[in-house]
Amino acid sequence: MKAIIATTIFGVIMMFAGLMVNNKKSIVVIATILFALLLGVNIWDLATTSANMPDMFFNNMLRVEHYSVWFNTVMTGCTLLYILLMGNEIRKVGSHVAEYFTLIFFILCGLYILSTYNNLLMLFIGIEILSIPQYILAGSDKRNLKSSEASLKYFLMGAFSTGILLMGITLLYGASRTFNIMEIAGILHSDTLNPLALAGIMFIMIALSFKVSAAPMHMWTPDVYDGSPTPFTAFMATVVKASAFFAFLRLFQVSFNTLSEHWTLVLAVITAATLLVGNVTAVFQQSVKRMLAYSSIAQAGFMLFAILAINAIAWQGIIIYAVAYSVATIGLFAVLVKLKDYTYDGFNGLAQKEPLLAFAATIFLFSLAGIPLTGGFMAKYYVLLAVVQQGQLMWLVIFALLMAAISVYYYFRVIIAMYFKPGTPEMNGPVTGGDKFMLIVTCILVILLGVAPQLFLNRI
């Protein structure tokens, strides 16, 4: 609750800072300080939240639990890392720099609601607070027609999926006569399941699949991620996606866990399609940025395993995956944004010109591919372990491992270009000492997630 209040206050402060401060660098510094303070508020919230007794707010519409606050804290930490890596790039997007940071604060407000909602109406409000600022950020580069196109596509598909979500909530309310997700779990029973409730569950599953870009509801993702300004694509593909997954997991674990026999197979098919479409299509991309868009779809397929598994490891899996994927992807986009050419050829010879950038990109690509001793490996291990312990869907686990092997090809294409192909990559600007320091810190985090994941799990 403290975090929701703080992020709203900091967002308003950021708006006033934009009116009073004309220097873009100063605005970035102010934003960085405010995000650091927000992380401090989350740590304070974590320290004061009971591990056994959840706190209820707004007539039981928000349920603040220890693992939810821990998720908020690590995602706010990832956002601070994103600001430190991308802050100078954000100020190059356009003239409304303070407003961009304000929108990011509001997105975090939506994240905090989605991690603590106890009511389907709060789920809807959280998704809208999370989504609307993204539509604006996607179209923030007014000099680029692709940015405006991305914003329009994102808005239309977002509005469409929101309509489906509301229909699902309406049907579920008609079957259970409550919006409270804890009460829904007690009212709906597997043996006497109301067809109205089943239809509502399917509508909600489809709507949330849109939000996390799961196939076949993924069609908006490549164009939106490719057309949006690169600094904002990094945030959309990581922290925002992770928060949508946490909301997805929260609803299906709490309200629909006893009904899993009715929706598991449908979600398993969606997971398999997501893995197949994301990985196979990424192989044929010529732009690294667009490849990362399809890669995010493939990574969504692995995160869906946490929803398929109705056990405690699923909660651990979604948090470790959210952190590992977010850190590695933000770091990789921080390297990408330094280059003018986003094609694979644009990376040719990067190891000779900027060896630290090439090394950092290699670590991040290793993590995304799931190579051992990186955070990505442990993330995949936990989500797959959650399903294996269920004792079902072993065919899907084997299929996921085959798709992970395919992903190695398109991730290693970038490494081959950087180290083994001659060329002189065109840089988008100077690589400062601060940039190099933050990339080293990000690499350390990726390795730390791989060798000591318990640091991120022992608080859950």
Side-chain angles (χ1 to χ4, degrees):
M1 186 60 189
K2 299 182 187 73
I4 295 175
I5 296 171
T7 193
T8 306
I9 293 172
F10 292 160
V12 173
I13 291 173
M14 203 68 242
M15 282 195 293
F16 281 107
L19 295 174
M20 295 182 290
V21 180
N22 294 323
N23 188 291
K24 289 184 178 182
K25 288 186 178 179
S26 300
I27 291 174
V28 173
V29 171
I30 293 170
T32 305
I33 293 170
L34 291 177
F35 278 106
L37 288 174
L38 183 60
L39 178 59
V41 171
N42 276 274
I43 294 172
W44 175 31
D45 208 359
L46 184 66
T48 56
T49 301
S50 171
N52 301 316
M53 185 66 66
D55 297 321
M56 310 299 290
F57 297 97
F58 299 126
N59 197 25
N60 295 335
M61 295 182 79
L62 291 181
R63 180 185 174 93
V64 180
E65 294 156 306
H66 192 264
Y67 63 84
S68 299
V69 181
W70 177 241
F71 177 79
N72 293 345
T73 304
V74 295
M75 285 295 99
T76 306
C78 289
T79 305
L80 178 60
L81 177 68
Y82 161 76
I83 297 299
L84 291 169
L85 282 167
M86 294 284 196
N88 289 326
E89 301 301 327
I90 291 173
R91 67 184 176 86
K92 297 177 184 176
V93 173
S95 56
H96 305 287
V97 182
E99 285 81 353
Y100 302 153
F101 289 115
T102 300
L103 291 170
I104 293 172
F105 274 116
F106 291 152
I107 288 172
L108 286 181
C109 182
L111 184 154
Y112 299 151
I113 292 173
L114 288 178
S115 67
T116 57
Y117 73 93
N118 195 47
N119 189 290
L120 291 175
L121 295 180
M122 295 306 292
L123 168 64
F124 166 71
I125 291 171
I127 284 179
E128 289 306 292
I129 294 175
L130 186 84
S131 300
I132 292 172
Q134 291 182 77
Y135 307 150
I136 302 169
L137 291 177
S140 55
D141 187 359
K142 301 303 180 184
R143 299 159 295 185
N144 187 350
L145 187 61
K146 287 178 69 177
S147 178
S148 299
E149 180 186 349
S151 179
L152 180 61
K153 285 184 178 179
Y154 205 178
F155 169 72
L156 292 176
M157 296 307 298
F160 180 65
S161 62
T162 298
I164 295 175
L165 176 66
L166 286 173
M167 175 60 75
I169 291 174
T170 303
L171 293 173
L172 205 57
Y173 178 79
S176 63
R177 298 183 182 180
T178 181
F179 290 116
N180 188 293
I181 64 173
M182 305 293 289
E183 293 175 4
I184 289 173
I187 293 171
L188 300 181
H189 301 286
S190 181
D191 53 345
T192 57
L193 180 62
N194 189 325
L196 204 61
L198 182 59
I201 292 171
M202 291 303 160
F203 271 105
I204 291 174
M205 182 188 295
I206 292 169
L208 293 177
S209 296
F210 265 106
K211 298 300 180 183
V212 301
S213 63
M217 288 71 70
H218 70 285
M219 67 286 293
W220 59 271
T221 310
D223 289 339
V224 170
Y225 284 11
D226 191 33
S228 300
T230 303
F232 299 139
T233 302
F235 191 65
M236 292 175 191
T238 53
V239 175
V240 172
K241 176 170 283 193
S243 64
F245 264 108
F246 196 85
F248 203 155
L249 177 66
R250 186 176 179 85
L251 180 61
F252 276 71
Q253 287 269 20
V254 172
S255 295
F256 307 146
N257 58 341
T258 59
L259 310 172
S260 59
E261 62 186 78
H262 297 283
W263 55 262
T264 296
L265 183 58
V266 177
L267 190 58
V269 172
I270 290 174
T271 302
T274 304
L275 290 167
L276 181 65
V277 170
N279 284 292
V280 172
T281 315
V283 169
F284 299 99
Q285 302 307 308
Q286 300 304 314
S287 164
V288 174
K289 186 178 179 183
R290 198 168 180 88
M291 177 273 284
L292 289 174
Y294 282 102
S295 161
S296 75
I297 297 171
Q299 300 289 346
F302 278 98
M303 295 175 82
L304 285 170
F305 276 91
I307 301 164
L308 284 167
I310 311 294
N311 53 37
I313 297 179
W315 292 104
Q316 296 179 335
I318 199 69
I319 290 181
I320 194 71
Y321 210 112
V323 179
Y325 168 66
S326 296
V327 171
T329 305
I330 289 169
L332 190 55
F333 270 99
V335 174
L336 182 68
V337 80
K338 295 296 180 184
L339 300 173
K340 280 190 176 179
D341 186 358
Y342 290 168
T343 65
Y344 284 95
D345 291 339
F347 281 79
N348 289 351
L350 184 62
Q352 284 73 42
K353 186 167 185 177
E354 292 288 349
L356 181 60
L357 257 65
F359 173 78
T362 302
I363 296 296
F364 303 144
L365 289 163
F366 278 176
S367 182
L368 291 174
I371 302 300
L373 299 182
T374 64
F377 172 79
M378 294 308 301
K380 287 181 171 63
Y381 169 77
Y382 272 95
V383 294
L384 293 178
L385 177 64
V387 173
V388 169
Q389 287 208 348
Q390 286 288 95
Q392 300 174 349
L393 301 174
M394 288 304 298
W395 65 270
L396 190 58
V397 173
I398 295 170
F399 182 74
L401 294 174
L402 292 174
M403 292 297 105
I406 292 176
S407 73
V408 172
Y409 169 77
Y410 56 79
Y411 289 133
F412 275 50
R413 257 184 90 184
V414 183
I415 299 174
I416 291 170
M418 291 189 296
Y419 283 93
F420 301 108
K421 290 190 176 181
T424 306
E426 245 187 300
M427 307 305 291
N428 204 21
V431 182
T432 65
D435 294 331
K436 293 179 180 179
F437 174 76
M438 286 309 306
L439 285 172
I440 291 171
V441 170
T442 309
C443 288
I444 292 172
L445 283 173
V446 169
I447 304 268
L448 194 62
L449 282 160
V451 299
Q454 63 273 13
L455 295 176
F456 296 85
L457 296 176
N458 60 6
R459 294 183 177 273
I460 303 173

